[in-house]
Amino acid sequence: MNKELDQLAADNIRALAIAMVEKAKSGHPGGPMGGADYMHILYSEFFNYDPSDMHWPFRDRFFMDAGHLSSLMYAQYYLLGNFKKDDIANFRQWGSVTPGHPEVDVARGIENTSGPLGQGHTMGVGAAIAAKFLKARFGDWINHKVYGFISDGGVQEEISQGAGRIAGHLGLNNFIMFYDSNDVQLSSKTDEVTSEDTAKKYEAWGWKVVTIDGHDHEQIRKALKDANAETEKPTLIIGETIMGKGCVTADGEMYEGYTELHGKPIGDTGADYEKTMDNLGADVNNPFDIYAKVSDFYNSVKDAKKKAVDAKKAEIQSWRNDNEKLASKLDMFLSGDLPDLDFDSIEHKGGLATRAASSNVLGYLAENVENMIVSSADLSNSDKTDGFLKKTTVLKKGDFSGAFLQAGVAELTMATIANGIALHGGIIPVVATFFVFSDYMKPAIRLSCIQELPVKFVWTHDAFRVGEDGPTHQPVEQEAQIRLLEKLKNHSHEQSFVALRPADSQETNVAWKMAMENSKTPTGLILSRQGIQDIPSKGNRYEDALGAEKGGYLVQEVADPDIVLIANGSEVATLVDATKLLEEKDGLKVNIASIPSEGIFRQQTKAYQEKVIPSDKPIFGLTAGLPVNLQGLAGPNGNVFGLEHFGYSAPAKVLDEKFGFTGDQVYQQVTEFLK
Ligand SMILES: Cc1ncc(C[n+]2csc(CCOP(=O)(O)OP(=O)(O)O)c2C)c(N)n1
């Protein structure tokens, strides 16, 4: 502990952060200047990790919520050697590893992508849940911490209600969050938008809350020490900080706490960049230099961290020696590999809703995959994740031996927590709700895609056949929205999302197989509320349904068909009904295709696509969503019948008739189309 050195290091972080913004001519300098003291104390004295093994699974994790403070992280990690001078100098530039908002990059200490306020700390809550889950199975030696960093904006975002409630309710004492409370946000002071008592709010959720001067190193130290010793509750450290701490004008007057310091280069504000750099002890001509004393100090910090981790690794090794079986299970969890699974063995009664088939699959997975956390937003008996729940218990404060997270009515929180669980590693997260409420999850789905996380989304009650609950509960446009993500590539140049809407029970088995085997991107399963007649098979229906792995396949195939009917989900069974009439009444030869994922289907060879949907045949598509779901597949000469209005409250069978979705009506439409 060296007061002068600590001040120097914090000022070095400030200078680096504002120099990055100044050079990039854009960014957020004021916040990093406020958060620098906390970061320096946290990283130099508390944060455990191995600088030579950044992916070490038992490292502490830092989850940034305020992604606009990226320069704060880059500056801190530059002192620790994670970034090079060039990286820092190329902040926000094409091809740099220092993008405007942090993008997950574990090798450099960036645990999560952030920027959309509120999600970063909620992912941290997910990571803390993951750590508790592993600890419950492998022992108390798993005791790493998750550190969150939040700002006024994150606290105001609605998702913080869910994250705060769940972290408190579950007693996540391994989650320690710093709140950079500088009373300034983007376009106003915070007192213009809120008069809440944030400390009381978090206390009410079951957090331990301490309010400190966020620039006082001794107070930061004590708060972090106490938080690390806390055994029952998550901790919120409210650090009262000053936006733009250290800024001065051209006349050398202090210029701190102004809203304009939030989001533009210091030189474009009332403060003076050169004078401010000078005030921070930096050389304005070499703005990306690390001060000599700070450099020496951080080298010793890294050595000390390595030594501490070496000791921890030795402790883990002796646990491994004594617990070989458990250790290999842990390795299996962390590898991301699946045990051998036989989806063909999962049996169903005839004519099940695909949500009920999914329930059977989840029951099977509960018995065969030990590292899943399944979660529902208070709909487990409707979305049928209860198939999993019946074979496990819910996660509770002090007892993480179960594998089911009752998230409460908080879809965005739940999905974001799942992202955090996936980021932590070792556990496969599944989240479920009604399809119509996928709207509430969209920001998290997007971050799931961007971060390439293998989260499984289960969406049931997939169409107007929800029935009596009416238009608010009947999805129409949701499938089209979700499928847009199938068309969007992630930074690994892969389809960023896989959306699967299986046609019947056996195709649901296959869809789950695909979801579980997809370790590269999120997958969504879109499932029916109502029972569906099983698709007929001449042989083994499961074997047939494996065609879904190509995104689409023929469930009925004849030579030289007169027409090809295409659909996904429950509309495939409706096409089977209509086909009987087309064959019996009109003697037509009909092919039927089930296309559970257009995205995957598009990845197949042109020849395969042509075999399933020939361009020289009439194509008729049926969808309970917007016609656009199938128009691309049906092609310019095809015809798609879908829903082009919100639904209405009535029994599902009545709606089928009113909207034209019975086998008879579809038969009529097809004959009309063929005229
Ligand atoms: C969901 C979301 N909405 C809006 C923004 C745009 N935005 C970036 S920072 C910010 C407010 C910043 O205030 P605060 O969190 O207090 O950060 P500080 O001003 O202290 O840097 C806003 C609205 C965002 N990044 N995410």
Side-chain angles (χ1 to χ4, degrees):
M1 229 176 293
N2 176 333
K3 258 185 151 179
E4 203 187 306
L5 190 62
D6 286 335
Q7 189 57 46
L8 207 58
D11 281 346
N12 201 165
I13 293 170
R14 291 185 174 92
L16 287 165
I18 67 170
M20 277 184 249
V21 174
E22 207 71 16
K23 175 148 191 257
K25 299 195 180 71
S26 74
H28 302 79
M33 299 180 86
D37 295 291
Y38 174 78
M39 290 294 272
H40 164 65
I41 299 296
L42 171 68
Y43 275 91
S44 59
E45 297 181 27
F46 291 88
F47 202 82
N48 294 317
Y49 76 105
D50 182 346
S52 66
D53 181 9
M54 294 296 286
H55 289 266
W56 182 50
F58 309 108
R59 65 190 182 276
D60 287 343
R61 286 157 173 80
F62 180 84
F63 276 79
M64 175 54 93
D65 194 277
H68 62 285
L69 306 188
S70 56
S71 60
L72 172 62
M73 296 175 80
Y74 302 147
Q76 177 65 61
Y77 297 158
Y78 175 46
L79 298 189
L80 286 160
N82 301 3
F83 288 93
K84 301 194 178 69
K85 192 185 269 188
D86 265 2
D87 300 332
I88 298 299
N90 284 311
F91 178 51
R92 290 180 157 244
Q93 303 309 308
W94 173 259
S96 79
V97 292
T98 46
H101 290 87
E103 296 171 23
V104 63
D105 181 358
V106 174
R108 294 186 177 83
I110 311 287
E111 297 284 350
N112 65 299
T113 296
S114 55
L117 292 165
Q119 289 195 64
H121 80 288
T122 309
M123 288 188 270
V125 169
I129 290 171
K132 288 261 182 194
F133 179 96
L134 295 177
K135 180 178 180 171
R137 281 151 183 79
F138 300 105
D140 287 349
W141 62 268
I142 297 188
N143 57 0
H144 53 283
K145 303 282 180 191
V146 180
Y147 292 92
F149 188 113
I150 198 167
S151 58
D152 297 306
V155 169
Q156 284 161 27
E157 273 295 342
E158 293 94 331
I159 191 175
S160 69
Q161 147 87 23
R165 170 178 58 79
I166 290 173
H169 181 67
L170 293 178
L172 299 181
N173 66 311
N174 57 344
F175 189 60
I176 299 167
M177 182 158 77
F178 181 75
Y179 168 22
D180 179 57
S181 176
N182 60 17
D183 297 335
V184 173
Q185 48 197 88
L186 192 151
S187 52
S188 73
K189 299 264 185 187
T190 47
D191 63 8
E192 290 177 51
V193 301
T194 181
S195 43
E196 74 174 20
D197 184 330
T198 304
K200 281 198 179 137
K201 183 173 81 174
Y202 277 84
E203 273 163 7
W205 284 326
W207 289 55
K208 172 193 168 85
V209 180
V210 53
T211 301
I212 61 168
D213 174 346
H215 299 302
D216 183 318
H217 296 176
E218 203 43 59
Q219 290 188 34
I220 294 170
R221 200 169 274 130
K222 177 164 182 348
L224 279 168
K225 214 170 147 211
D226 292 349
N228 269 274
E230 170 60 42
T231 56
E232 293 281 319
K233 300 174 174 183
T235 297
L236 181 69
I237 301 171
I238 302 181
E240 292 174 340
T241 60
I242 299 171
M243 161 71 68
K245 170 87 175 158
C247 281
V248 290
T249 64
D251 301 334
E253 301 286 322
M254 294 315 288
Y255 190 84
E256 300 174 331
Y258 292 94
T259 305
E260 70 161 350
L261 295 169
H262 161 91
K264 54 184 170 184
I266 294 295
D268 298 348
T269 71
D272 183 82
Y273 172 64
E274 290 191 13
K275 278 272 158 43
T276 299
M277 288 291 276
D278 204 34
N279 184 44
L280 296 170
D283 173 359
V284 78
N285 296 314
N286 296 293
F288 301 118
D289 278 359
I290 300 177
Y291 309 163
K293 280 186 185 165
V294 174
S295 176
D296 291 346
F297 174 67
Y298 265 93
N299 284 336
S300 67
V301 164
K302 273 168 47 180
D303 288 346
K305 289 199 187 298
K306 175 94 185 91
K307 278 207 188 90
V309 170
D310 283 348
K312 181 75 186 177
K313 285 183 174 174
E315 179 196 337
I316 296 173
Q317 189 53 50
S318 90
W319 173 83
R320 296 182 79 94
N321 296 343
D322 296 343
N323 299 277
E324 276 181 26
K325 258 184 130 176
L326 264 185
S328 61
K329 185 191 280 188
L330 175 62
D331 290 342
M332 169 87 172
F333 282 17
L334 295 172
S335 71
D337 293 341
L338 292 172
D340 286 336
L341 297 172
D342 181 5
F343 288 89
D344 191 10
S345 70
I346 305 167
E347 292 180 0
H348 306 292
K349 285 190 202 138
L352 287 186
T354 50
R355 67 173 168 146
S358 170
S359 179
N360 292 339
V361 177
L362 280 165
Y364 171 81
L365 293 174
E367 287 173 343
N368 290 280
V369 183
E370 291 180 66
N371 60 331
M372 286 173 73
I373 295 181
V374 176
S375 185
S376 172
D378 199 24
L379 284 169
S380 52
N381 35 5
S382 297
D383 60 36
K384 291 292 165 200
T385 47
D386 59 2
F388 190 91
L389 176 56
K390 281 177 193 147
K391 297 189 175 166
T392 183
T393 54
V394 295
L395 302 176
K396 289 189 275 290
K397 180 173 180 169
D399 180 6
F400 279 71
S401 60
F404 196 93
L405 174 64
Q406 286 288 18
V409 189
E411 296 78 9
L412 175 58
T413 302
M414 174 176 72
T416 305
I417 282 177
N419 286 344
I421 292 172
L423 284 167
H424 180 282
I427 298 159
I428 301 165
V430 177
V431 292
T433 185
F434 289 164
F435 192 30
V436 82
F437 300 136
S438 62
D439 288 357
Y440 276 61
M441 299 174 141
K442 177 60 174 42
I445 301 168
R446 189 164 196 271
L447 272 198
S448 204
C449 291
I450 288 181
Q451 296 177 104
E452 303 177 22
L453 301 175
V455 175
K456 325 298 174 203
F457 294 87
V458 174
W459 292 307
T460 64
H461 298 62
D462 67 351
F464 65 80
R465 297 183 194 90
V466 167
E468 294 85 343
D469 277 346
T472 56
H473 284 51
Q474 295 170 8
V476 181
E477 75 281 22
Q478 278 67 24
E479 186 179 345
Q481 289 173 179
I482 287 297
R483 288 210 186 280
L484 287 177
L485 292 170
E486 287 206 316
K487 298 181 197 294
L488 190 60
K489 294 213 167 38
N490 58 31
H491 283 185
S492 300
H493 314 290
E494 306 244 6
Q495 178 181 317
S496 70
F497 190 84
V498 175
L500 296 166
R501 188 162 177 256
D504 66 358
S505 296
Q506 289 301 331
E507 209 177 293
T508 304
N509 285 10
V510 175
W512 261 111
K513 175 177 187 285
M514 293 167 72
M516 293 300 286
E517 289 173 358
N518 179 10
S519 59
K520 292 183 173 172
T521 72
T523 308
L525 301 179
I526 304 167
L527 305 170
S528 75
R529 175 196 181 213
Q530 82 285 2
I532 302 174
Q533 282 308 311
D534 296 327
I535 304 302
S537 168
K538 292 203 181 92
N540 175 328
R541 174 65 189 130
Y542 177 80
E543 292 293 328
D544 294 352
L546 284 172
E549 292 184 310
K550 290 197 158 110
Y553 65 107
L554 291 171
V555 298
Q556 166 165 319
E557 184 173 8
V558 296
D560 194 23
D562 298 308
I563 185 164
V564 179
L565 308 181
I566 63 173
N568 64 30
S570 56
E571 288 81 78
V572 179
T574 312
L575 292 181
V576 171
D577 283 349
T579 295
K580 281 181 202 137
L581 299 174
L582 290 166
E583 289 169 344
E584 284 164 21
K585 291 193 175 177
D586 302 337
L588 288 176
K589 291 187 286 178
V590 182
N591 272 4
I592 307 172
S594 170
I595 319 282
S597 162
E598 181 184 356
I600 294 187
F601 182 67
R602 294 287 192 198
Q603 291 176 27
Q604 307 308 314
T605 61
K606 283 275 170 266
Y608 180 78
Q609 293 183 44
E610 183 67 22
K611 178 174 165 286
V612 178
I613 307 179
S615 47
D616 60 349
K617 300 284 181 196
I619 309 291
F620 178 90
L622 180 69
T623 172
L626 288 171
V628 72
N629 286 341
L630 295 175
Q631 275 164 345
L633 290 166
N637 303 321
N639 185 28
V640 176
F641 183 73
L643 206 62
E644 290 179 290
H645 52 78
F646 289 116
Y648 294 86
S649 168
K653 285 222 172 327
V654 174
L655 294 177
D656 264 329
E657 271 168 35
K658 297 283 180 197
F659 297 161
F661 281 78
T662 65
D664 269 356
Q665 289 164 314
V666 173
Y667 161 74
Q668 298 292 347
Q669 286 160 19
V670 174
T671 46
E672 238 355 83
F673 168 57
L674 286 176
K675 271 183 196 161

